[in-house]
Every structure is written in C-alpha cells, then in structure tokens.
Amino acid sequence: MQITTSRTLQALVVDDDAVARKTVAFALQREDFQCDLATDGEDACRQLDRKHYDLVVTDLRMPNKNGHALTVELLARKPRSVIVVHSCIDVPDLARDLMLRGVDDIVYKPTNYAAFAAKAKGLVLHRQPLLRTDAPDAVEANAPVSDASATAATEQQSGESEVAAEECPPVSVEDIESKRAIAADVLPVSKVALKVFELTRTECAARELGAAIECDAELAKKVLSISNSSFYRPIGKKITELDKAVVQIGLRRIGELTLAAAMLSAITQRKLAWMNAATIWQQCNSAGVAAEHLIKQGSHASIRNDLVLISILNFMGRVVLGSLYPDHYQKMIAQCQQTGESLRELEQNVFPENHAEALLRLRNVWNFPAEICKPMSRILDSYSELSQQPEPLRRRVELVKLSVFVGKLAMSSWHSWDLVEIPPASVLERLRIDAIDRVIEDTNRDTQTIVDTTPNSTTASKRPARRTNSMPTLHYWNRSPAPFDFVARLIDGMDFRIQPADASNLPMAATIVVNCSGLSKARTQQELRRLMETDIVAIVDCDGADELEVDCQVVQLPASYGAIRSVLFKASVKLELA
C-alpha cells in the first residue's frame, strides 16, 4: 500500500558541499519533501529559529558550526525534527555516540540516494503518524500541527526514559532481612560447590575433594578446564583426573574456585536485564587472577587466605541486590546513563548498606566463613578511609580493591556505571608492588587462558581486534608523578589512539587531555596555566578541583567509566571535525 501525506513535508539539508546539498535535496523532493538548504551549522540554526522542519539532514565536517554540535542542539529542541547524519566520517565510536544521543539514522557516503530519501520519509511518518492520510486520526490536508500537539507527542515518546530515570524509594534494613529466605533462589549455588568449599577448610585429602567435585558433572568440567589452563599448567601433560587437578590448583584455591564458578554460572544463566553477565564473568576471573599476582609480587602469603574469594564475592553482592530489587536497579542504571553518575553513588542513596555488606547479611544462606566479614564490609571504602583501619585489615582490603581494579584495567572490562578509583602511588609502595605494569600484563594473559578454556567461554567476551586507523585520536600529556600511568592504560582500553603531546608541540585548535592525578590543586593549576590558549580536559583527583582558576573541563576522579569516556570522546570528536 502506498502511503501518502496530509501535507507537504519540510526538510533542511545542511552541507558545505554544494553538490551534496543539491543531490540530497533532489532525492528528497521526489519523496514529496520541500527542501531548504544550509551551508553550515550556524546557517542551519538561523533557519531553524524561523521555521520547524520535519527532517534535518546534516553533514558532520563543516566550517563555523560542525554537524555534531548542530545535532546536539537539534536534540534539545521541542518539537524535535527527525535527524539524519549524512557523512563520509566512518568512526564507530562517533556513530555510537550519535545514536545513543538520539539521532534517528546515520548514512555514509557514497549514497544510494533513492533508498536514502525513501527511508528518511519513513522515519518522519513513523515519528508523526498524523501526517499520514491512512492514519486513523489523520488531520485535514495542509492543516498545521500545533506546537502543543507536537510537544505532547515528543513527551509521549520520551516518557519511557523519564519513567526509567525516576528516583527509587529507599530500602530499609528490615526489608533486606525479610528477603533472606529467597536469597538462595536468587543466587542458586550448587550444593556440591558449597560442600567442596567447606571441605577445603578442613584437613582433607585431594582424592576426597576430587570425589566430591565429581558429583557435579558441570563443575567437574570447569575444574579440569581451569587446571589445564596455562595459568595453572604452563607445561606438562594434560590433566584428566580430578584429584590431580586439585593438587595442581591447590587445596585452598580449589575451594574458592569451585564456589566462584558455581556463582558465576548462576548469574550467567539468570542474565539480569541491567547487567552484562559476560562482563561480570570476566571481571570476577580477572580479579581473582590479579589477586594471585599481587600476593606473589608483594610477598603477602601470610595474609592471602580468602583474598581471592573476597575479590570474587565483591561482585556477588550487587548481583543479589539487583535480583531482589530489579525495578530499583533498572531505574538506577537509567539514571547512570543519563547523568554519568556511578551506580555506587546511587546505591548509597537507596540502600542502608553497600552491596558487599548486604551479601554478608545473607551469608548464612551460603555458609561463608566468618573471617571474610570484616574485609568484605570495608571493600567499598575509599583508600583514604582505609588508612584509618588497623593492620592487617587495611592491607588485606587494599589488596582486594587493587585486585578488582587491576582485573578490570587489564581486560578493559567495565560497565559504564563502574566507578574508576585509581590507587594512590603510596598504596602500591605500602603493598610492595614495584612492577604493577607486569601484574597488569600477566593478569591479562592468564585471565584469557582461564576464560578461553572454561566451558561456555563464549559468554565471556574477548576484546575485538583493534582497528587503529579507525580509532579516534586524543592528544595526551601525562603530568602525574605516579610511577605508572593508570590513566593512559584506561584510555587505551577505551579504544582511543593516544598522541603524546605537551605545551610545546600541540597543534593549533586541538584539545589536549592532561593527566594531573596525584598533583595538588596548586600544582595542577600551575601545570594547566602552561596551556592557557588551548582547549583542555584535565583529569584530577585533588580536593577543590571545582575551583581551579583555569578555563578547562575537569574530570574529577573517582568518576564513572561512562562519564570519563563520554568527556574523552567529545574531545576526540572536536579533533576529528577540526
């Protein structure tokens, strides 16, 4: 059935290339659009102030105001036009950013103009069905659509996201306690895994543990796969017997691994709507591996008991809370995506205790050992808060926090709502970690081997091959006094191409990202003043960063991974469109 419109559709074509402007306009006119033309973003804004358009087609790279800036402005207007980006700039991160912001379509040059115009018309009619003569409530031909009606339609379309981002009602301790009985159903852990874990805390022979593991066929496969990974078996014959696998991995470690594997399998099967189960799988594995390497490098064998388990359980509390309160988490995640806040910040406003403490409240369901309670309860404390804790508690918790951070950093495995909390150099020194770069690389290598040899390893996403030529570029200057540049490693994992720069070799009109973490406010200001004529993104962790006497955009650490990446991506877009 051919669909006709009840009035002439209005389109604005924005492109500094005259041939491209006229070609797009000609194709749209064949689909009943009346077209106006603009040569750049500023010209387009002047015309948009005078007239509403059903469709705006814009290029990205243009003088005066580029297409990305124009698009951001268009998205804020009400009633909003259908927005189609028509460009030769094929950058995956740029496309993702535009689509997440709300752009309706992106079409790359060279173009099939007939199909392009037909699709654009379909987008407009889908957005505004009252313009269709076949719609049940179609208006008379040439009758204008009022701003009030269009605004109401826009608000109706955006209503879902507004509801999703509404504030969550607070949860009481009593409410969490009342759900203790259903916790086992929320995170169904294999009884065999629990038995194995209990056996490893007694004097138990490897043969007895192997026989216990054999009672769960799926668990037995996981243990054999892990024991044959290069992390546990760098050389030698393949292990096919469970008692030998127990010896290879170690009695204490086998208990932690079996319990972790059982929990991870449970959350993978549940597939919480707001959580990427593959990311959690990878984060848990990498945290455990990082803990092993940190313990070895810092000679912390005397306090190693349960550190790997605590590193892994760190993630489970959020899984449990998210399963018990799915509506709360859906709303919090929506708010994180809109505001750039971390999930931890929002959890503090909703729950009477953090997710690690909530898991401990339910620990009797799984019979976790009592000695993990204190370290678990402090796992989300900041490093400055931990400095007030006695030894060895402080050192144990710092090792766990560092394990979780290094695991995510090594695998570039983050949720956008994860909080990025970079460890101070003083903590690495206290923990005797003098080669953190080696820990990161070893964690990356060994986590890959464990994940890749585990059954159902397809659930754990591997990082795709990097296409360096299509990665957005960032000019970067490291002014941090820390011996290792965590910020550069973090940015590299976000798939940006880093171009080292400083005050003396920065190209004109470029944006520079300056790592000032570890510097005082006064020293940060001193460093940034060297770039006074430059567009600056300053990454800082000092107090009073919001009062810096320098004109720059500030990323105050700790911050959410998504917020950091968003700021950096905007900086790279400015460079791409310059």
Side-chain angles (χ1 to χ4, degrees):
M1 177 182 69
Q2 184 177 5
I3 297 176
T4 57
T5 58
S6 59
R7 66 172 172 83
T8 303
L9 301 176
Q10 302 294 320
L12 178 64
V13 181
V14 190
D15 201 312
D16 61 331
D17 185 324
V19 174
R21 277 198 310 274
K22 293 177 181 178
T23 305
V24 171
F26 178 77
L28 291 174
Q29 286 164 0
R30 294 176 66 89
E31 291 290 343
D32 303 320
F33 282 92
Q34 179 178 312
C35 297
D36 292 334
L37 308 179
T39 57
D40 55 45
E42 289 186 357
D43 184 12
C45 287
R46 286 191 292 270
Q47 298 191 54
L48 284 160
D49 288 338
R50 297 192 298 265
K51 177 179 177 181
H52 173 70
Y53 291 92
D54 303 297
L55 170 70
V56 176
V57 179
T58 180
D59 189 17
L60 287 178
R61 185 183 283 122
M62 297 182 296
N64 299 325
K65 176 180 281 190
N66 62 56
H68 188 275
L70 173 62
T71 297
V72 171
E73 183 171 329
L74 283 169
L75 289 167
R77 289 178 178 245
K78 289 189 178 183
R80 167 167 105 64
S81 309
V82 170
I83 305 169
V84 176
V85 170
H86 182 227
S87 177
C88 61
I89 300 176
D90 184 3
V91 179
D93 278 340
L94 179 57
R96 187 182 303 112
D97 176 76
L98 290 169
M99 295 302 288
L100 287 174
R101 287 175 181 274
V103 167
D104 297 279
D105 198 11
I106 300 175
V107 179
Y108 295 107
K109 303 173 184 177
T111 310
N112 179 333
Y113 286 96
F116 165 83
K119 186 178 180 183
K121 182 177 181 179
L123 288 170
V124 171
L125 296 183
H126 178 73
R127 171 73 66 80
Q128 301 181 41
L130 291 179
L131 296 175
R132 293 167 47 169
T133 56
D134 66 324
D137 300 318
V139 297
E140 295 181 8
N142 301 318
V145 178
S146 69
D147 287 347
S149 299
T151 302
T154 303
E155 289 175 350
Q156 183 178 6
Q157 292 164 7
S158 62
E160 182 178 345
S161 62
E162 290 175 2
V163 170
E166 66 180 329
E167 291 188 4
C168 298
V171 173
S172 66
V173 171
E174 291 74 22
D175 193 45
I176 296 176
E177 281 284 359
S178 70
K179 297 181 183 294
R180 182 196 297 265
I182 63 173
D185 294 329
V186 166
L187 193 63
V189 179
S190 161
K191 292 182 179 179
V192 171
L194 291 171
K195 180 182 178 181
V196 170
F197 180 73
E198 292 173 5
L199 285 173
T200 59
R201 312 189 77 77
T202 64
E203 294 296 328
C204 180
R207 186 174 297 277
E208 185 179 356
L209 278 174
I213 295 170
E214 198 170 16
C215 295
D216 185 327
E218 190 63 30
L219 188 61
K221 288 180 183 178
K222 283 184 170 63
V223 169
L224 286 173
S225 296
I226 292 172
S227 68
N228 281 293
S229 68
S230 61
F231 183 47
Y232 288 104
R233 188 185 62 87
I235 57 174
K237 293 176 60 177
K238 183 177 180 179
I239 297 171
T240 58
E241 299 173 18
L242 285 168
D243 56 341
K244 292 181 179 178
V246 169
V247 172
Q248 188 72 23
I249 295 173
L251 297 184
R252 174 72 72 156
R253 183 72 169 105
I254 199 71
E256 296 171 336
L257 274 176
T258 52
L259 187 58
M263 286 186 160
L264 291 168
S265 295
I267 67 167
T268 301
Q269 291 160 11
R270 293 188 62 84
K271 295 190 180 297
L272 298 175
W274 55 273
M275 178 179 282
N276 186 323
T279 299
I280 290 294
W281 174 272
Q282 195 169 76
Q283 287 179 341
C284 289
N285 275 292
S286 58
V289 171
E292 295 278 19
H293 285 297
L294 290 167
I295 289 166
K296 182 178 179 181
Q297 188 175 118
S299 302
H300 298 294
S302 62
I303 60 170
R304 78 163 305 281
N305 286 352
D306 301 313
L307 289 190
V308 174
L309 176 63
I310 296 168
S311 298
I312 295 169
L313 289 179
N314 168 64
F315 300 96
M316 296 301 110
R318 182 169 276 157
V319 171
V320 171
L321 279 184
S323 301
L324 293 175
Y325 300 95
D327 292 342
H328 286 69
Y329 271 83
Q330 291 280 18
K331 292 173 182 177
M332 288 191 294
I333 294 298
Q335 186 170 339
C336 288
Q337 292 170 343
Q338 289 187 12
T339 65
E341 295 171 276
S342 71
L343 186 54
R344 191 189 303 180
E345 293 174 82
L346 300 184
E347 286 172 326
Q348 290 172 346
N349 298 328
V350 174
F351 295 101
E353 52 199 5
N354 63 50
H355 59 76
E357 293 170 321
L359 182 65
L360 290 175
R361 184 173 293 281
L362 305 172
R363 74 179 181 85
N364 290 336
V365 175
W366 300 284
N367 198 27
F368 294 150
E371 53 266 33
I372 74 169
C373 290
K374 276 208 167 182
M376 277 287 291
S377 67
R378 308 237 67 96
I379 188 65
L380 298 182
D381 286 2
S382 67
Y383 285 105
S384 60
E385 290 171 332
L386 286 177
S387 66
Q388 308 302 314
Q389 297 299 319
E391 293 290 4
L393 176 61
R394 175 184 178 184
R395 191 157 40 116
R396 283 166 61 81
V397 179
E398 285 177 340
L399 279 168
V400 173
K401 282 177 68 69
L402 189 56
S403 299
V404 171
F405 174 76
V406 167
K408 292 177 181 179
L409 193 68
M411 302 305 296
S412 301
S413 182
W414 302 83
H415 288 100
S416 63
W417 35 259
D418 280 335
L419 188 69
V420 177
E421 185 181 9
I422 292 179
S426 58
V427 170
L428 297 181
E429 185 177 353
R430 268 178 33 77
L431 297 177
R432 301 190 294 274
I433 307 300
D434 54 8
I436 190 66
D437 53 338
R438 191 166 73 239
V439 172
I440 293 171
E441 296 310 316
D442 290 348
T443 298
N444 177 279
R445 180 196 65 232
D446 294 336
T447 301
Q448 298 253 23
T449 66
I450 290 176
V451 170
D452 290 349
T453 58
T454 301
N456 303 320
S457 63
T458 53
T459 60
S461 57
K462 293 182 68 175
R463 185 176 177 181
R466 292 158 62 92
R467 296 186 300 164
T468 307
N469 60 338
S470 65
M471 289 163 55
T473 300
L474 285 173
H475 290 294
Y476 179 79
W477 192 17
N478 179 29
R479 304 307 295 155
S480 172
F484 181 78
D485 190 351
F486 286 109
V487 172
R489 178 66 189 234
L490 181 72
I491 294 174
D492 179 71
M494 293 175 175
D495 283 335
F496 291 103
R497 184 168 61 246
I498 294 178
Q499 180 68 46
D502 57 35
S504 64
N505 68 355
L506 190 65
M508 291 183 62
T511 299
I512 185 168
V513 179
V514 186
N515 176 16
C516 297
S517 60
L519 296 179
S520 66
K521 177 183 173 182
R523 178 69 187 281
T524 297
Q525 289 186 155
Q526 179 182 346
E527 294 291 343
L528 296 181
R529 284 195 180 107
R530 301 167 65 182
L531 302 163
M532 289 298 288
E533 302 301 320
T534 306
D535 190 12
I536 306 170
V537 175
I539 299 178
V540 304
D541 58 6
C542 58
D543 293 332
D546 55 341
E547 301 172 354
L548 287 174
E549 297 171 1
V550 180
D551 184 16
C552 66
Q553 183 165 6
V554 175
V555 176
Q556 173 72 63
L557 298 177
S560 76
Y561 181 85
I564 297 170
R565 195 180 190 286
S566 177
V567 170
L568 296 179
F569 181 71
K570 289 174 185 176
S572 72
V573 168
K574 287 183 180 179
L575 178 62
E576 179 68 30
L577 298 177

